[in-house]
Amino acid sequence: MNTLTASWDWLTDAAHWSGPDGVAHRLLEHLYLTGVCLAIACALALPVALVLGHVGRGGALAVNLSNAGRAVPTFAVLVLLLLSPIGTWGSWPTVIALVLFAVPPVLTNAYTAMRGVDRDVVRAGRGMGMTGWQLLSRVELPLALPLILTGVRIAAVQLVATATVAALAGGGGLGRIITAGFNLASTPQVVAGAVLVAVLALLVEAVFVLALRPALRAVGPGRAG
Amino acid sequence: MTAPPDDCLARNDWLCGAYLSTRQEILLDASLQHLRLTFVSVLIALVLALPLALAARRRHWAGGTVLGVTTILYTIPSLAMFSLLLPLYGLSASLVVAGLVLYSLTLLVRNILAGLRDVPEDARQAARGLGYGPLRTLLTVELPLSLPATVAGVRIATVSAVSLVTIGAIVGYGGLGNLIYAGMNTYFKAQVLTASALCVVIAVAADLVLLLVQRLLTPWTRAGG
């Protein structure tokens, strides 16, 4: 229990919240990294997934990409990038690693969502004389939206986790509070940092679930999870 | 980097045969620790997941609670999870195992539940018609029929665990992650690349072994193709 009260004291100490190593700055770094990388990952993965799903090709790619994302350790990729020539480009190694791990859930879910659209509905659209683009934007995309957004949610939570690991390899974000705690052998700081990261991850998940609920309801019962 | 012997170690190459031959023992020890941590974690998680899944199936409220709690646990980033367990376990291998068990639980409980729910009602009724009691039905009909889903969960949990063990480097029990961590601090490229590659090899090999186990355990699934 002593550790818990000590961690609470650490968290409520105003001195730990300000300055470049303070919680406020680290939190902003974390959110900024997560947001930017989520945007880049979606910009890369969604067009590819939508087109592949529309024409019905590349299923093996979508599945293998997601399996590979699970098998390759985030930490290993971060360190490999750090030791490569890219390592000298400031925060780019972190950004690249984060995007690499956010792409698979977005791409795989979006592809699965597009392929999961009822073929009869697509055929009906085609029978009404819709062009490929109209089919994609007015039939397939709305019906696939719930599962696509689920993929984005998974990627966002994954990004919060990966951004934490980035601290092990010298990146910014809330993980730095944990690694600094380990270096100082300060268990209260380690636990306080961990609580902050855990709460942030749960908040991101909750915000996505709540924000997406109206969107999902509008489309009707979709598969989630 | 001006050491007289001009071998790949002195040049700090990414690929280095001399590294492999001179560091065999270190690599073997790290790989064995990696395998031990993964195996023990998934095994404990499996032993815990089975009763949880059975309880979740029996009682509606238990199902919601078990799934809710394990989902929350799964959302917590790995570095934070290990850090949160620090006051309980200290800097030990048990800490890494405990963290991995908590992650694997989510995947296993969900898959076992899905497997049990997918057991055809006909098979259950046939067992009852043969005079099987609930326990015998569970052991000889339901559990074998849910094996494919269970093994699928074990495969995902194992591959994820192999990848997550590397984060254990923060407390000094990360298997190959220790080598990656040390290699990052000393800029030792061959060590980082070799250890990272071994991680992926272990993950893929474990996945294939489990796939083989599943085929041997469920010969009836092959008949239908």
Side-chain angles (χ1 to χ4, degrees), chain A residues 134-145:
Chain A
Q134 285 173 325
L135 272 178
L136 176 67
S137 61
R138 294 194 201 163
V139 178
E140 291 174 305
L141 192 57
L143 287 174
L145 202 60

Side-chain angles (χ1 to χ4, degrees), chain B residues 129-140:
Chain B
L130 286 166
Y132 282 23
L135 185 66
R136 198 169 167 202
T137 308
L138 178 71
L139 291 178
T140 59

Side-chain angles (χ1 to χ4, degrees), chain A residues 3 70-73 75-76 79-80 82-84 157 161 164-165 168-169 178 182 187 190-191 194-195 197-198 201-202 205, chain B residues 14 72 75-77 79-80 83-84 86-87 91 156 159-160 163 166-167 170-171 177 180-181 184 187 189 192-193 196 199 203:
Chain A
T3 322
R70 203 176 288 124
V72 179
F75 180 47
V79 176
L80 284 173
L82 199 67
L83 296 193
S84 73
V157 176
T164 316
V165 174
L168 272 181
I178 299 178
F182 270 105
T187 306
V190 170
V191 174
V195 168
V197 171
L202 291 171
E205 167 110 4
Chain B
W14 284 106
I72 287 177
T75 308
I76 297 174
L79 190 62
S83 306
L84 283 174
L86 184 66
L91 297 172
I156 299 178
V159 172
S160 307
S163 161
T166 55
I167 310 293
I170 186 90
V171 293
I180 299 176
Y181 198 54
M184 175 184 76
Y187 244 75
K189 289 180 180 171
V192 171
L193 185 63
S196 306
C199 277

Side-chain angles (χ1 to χ4, degrees), chain B residues 43-223:
Chain B
L43 199 66
I44 295 177
L46 195 56
V47 171
L48 292 176
L50 196 59
L52 281 176
L54 291 176
R57 184 177 66 149
R58 192 68 36 99
R59 304 246 184 279
H60 187 69
W61 60 266
T65 315
V66 167
L67 285 181
V69 170
T70 50
T71 304
I72 287 177
L73 289 175
Y74 197 70
T75 308
I76 297 174
S78 49
L79 190 62
M81 179 75 93
F82 290 148
S83 306
L84 283 174
L85 295 169
L86 184 66
L88 291 175
Y89 294 94
L91 297 172
S92 66
S94 322
L95 180 144
V96 179
V97 169
L100 293 175
V101 166
L102 291 177
Y103 280 122
S104 309
L105 264 185
T106 315
L107 298 164
L108 293 176
V109 169
R110 274 193 196 163
N111 273 272
I112 296 175
L113 256 184
L116 287 173
R117 282 191 180 137
D118 281 350
V119 172
E121 196 51 43
D122 292 351
R124 259 189 217 114
Q125 281 175 4
R128 195 175 304 143
L130 286 166
Y132 282 23
L135 185 66
R136 198 169 167 202
T137 308
L138 178 71
L139 291 178
T140 59
V141 177
E142 291 177 310
L143 285 182
L145 282 177
S146 65
L147 258 180
T150 305
V151 180
V154 173
R155 283 173 65 193
I156 299 178
T158 307
V159 172
S160 307
V162 170
S163 161
L164 285 174
V165 166
T166 55
I167 310 293
I170 186 90
V171 293
Y173 292 91
L176 291 159
N178 289 342
L179 296 184
I180 299 176
Y181 198 54
M184 175 184 76
N185 291 330
T186 53
Y187 244 75
F188 196 168
K189 289 180 180 171
Q191 175 155 307
V192 171
L193 185 63
T194 311
S196 306
L198 276 175
C199 277
V200 177
V201 169
I202 289 178
V204 173
D207 198 39
L208 289 178
V209 168
L210 286 168
L211 183 65
L212 195 70
V213 168
Q214 184 195 338
R215 302 201 77 181
L216 292 175
L217 284 177
T218 58
W220 62 88
T221 53
R222 258 174 300 164

Side-chain angles (χ1 to χ4, degrees), chain A residues 65-144:
Chain A
L65 200 65
S66 126
N67 286 341
R70 203 176 288 124
V72 179
T74 321
F75 180 47
V77 171
L78 269 164
V79 176
L80 284 173
L81 285 170
L82 199 67
L83 296 193
S84 73
I86 302 170
T88 53
W89 300 357
S91 57
W92 276 102
T94 311
V95 172
I96 294 174
L98 260 66
V99 169
L100 279 179
F101 282 93
V103 161
V106 177
L107 201 145
T108 306
N109 273 282
Y111 179 85
T112 315
M114 290 294 284
R115 296 313 298 162
V117 173
D118 192 344
R119 287 297 107 190
D120 288 347
V121 180
V122 177
R123 269 186 228 117
R126 189 164 288 136
M128 289 166 66
M130 281 181 156
T131 62
W133 172 250
Q134 285 173 325
L135 272 178
L136 176 67
S137 61
R138 294 194 201 163
V139 178
E140 291 174 305
L141 192 57
L143 287 174

